[in-house]
Amino acid sequence: MVNHEVKPLAAGLYFVATPIGTARDITLRALDILASADVIAAEDTRSMKRLLEIHGVPLGTRPVIAYHDHNGDKVRPRLMAYLAEGKSVAYASEAGTPLIADPGYDLGKIAREEGVLVTAAPGPSAVIDAMTIAGLPTDRFMFAGFLPNAKNARRNALAELGDIPATLVFYESPKRVEAMLQDAADILGATREAAVCRELTKKFEECVNGTLETLVAEFSERSVKGEIVVLITRRAEGASDEFDTEAELRKALESMSVRDASDVVSKASGQPKRKIYQLALALDKERKG
Ligand code: SAM
């Protein structure tokens, strides 16, 4: 069965969303665009060729050009030249929606600035899939992508996001998920509701709900594999009043300098840096006896 139609496409840049697991999660329009574009560009040309093969989309003599974070500056002029000649260019990242924690931003921005048609064949994205199934409030959400790898930078980033009145959504690697949940419990509060969604649309899909504290316990006992989205619900109204500044500072001082600990806790509590720094100095002195 052929699911695609080859039809003339207007000149322009077509961002195409591709599956995040199950290969059949691709729209008919995405297949039409991939079958019809003059030029295909992809973050990973091998994955793209495999996808075309699975769906019986013939490539013919059309070029498949690699475009990713490491060669973007070099390859973009070539793609822009095709667009300037009036060609249609389809771009897909390795999985999911391009630009969403994936390459494509610079290409789209410059194409728009040059007056080129920029459009998309929307489809899968792990952030939307996770929001859909996790059972946390969906009226407002803040997609924060990947947190920094370094512990202090990660804790600072969490502190900055902590008071945003929206469900927070993060992409995370299985290697770091336990440490990330622990930092989130320390900085945002152990009792915040959260969810870990893993392997979405794949055979071992799961979504584990709990407080940050219970999720830390669960994920410290498991060896975790696969792809992960972490969601954390917003701070309960009035909860910042219950923030135990002293306890948070003591915990932070176990792994951080006085300056870093006061930075993180002042952001998390919304209290002035100076005041928190003075308290941190006193606690540190007491700690060191
Ligand atoms: N552009 C993609 C999108 O629209 O979701 C995201 C690309 S980003 C480089 C890859 C990260 O997305 C993974 O590390 C994981 O956090 C998340 N992700 C992608 N596929 C997933 C899946 N099937 N299940 C859970 N998380 C997934």
Side-chain angles (χ1 to χ4, degrees), residues 62 160 212:
R62 296 178 299 155
E160 266 171 29
L212 284 168

Side-chain angles (χ1 to χ4, degrees), residues 20 95 97 100-102 125-126 146 171-172 199-200 227-229:
I20 55 168
T97 300
I100 304 303
D102 258 348
S125 188
F146 288 96
Y171 285 169
E172 194 46 272
E199 293 290 84
L200 295 164
E227 298 190 282
I228 290 174
V229 183

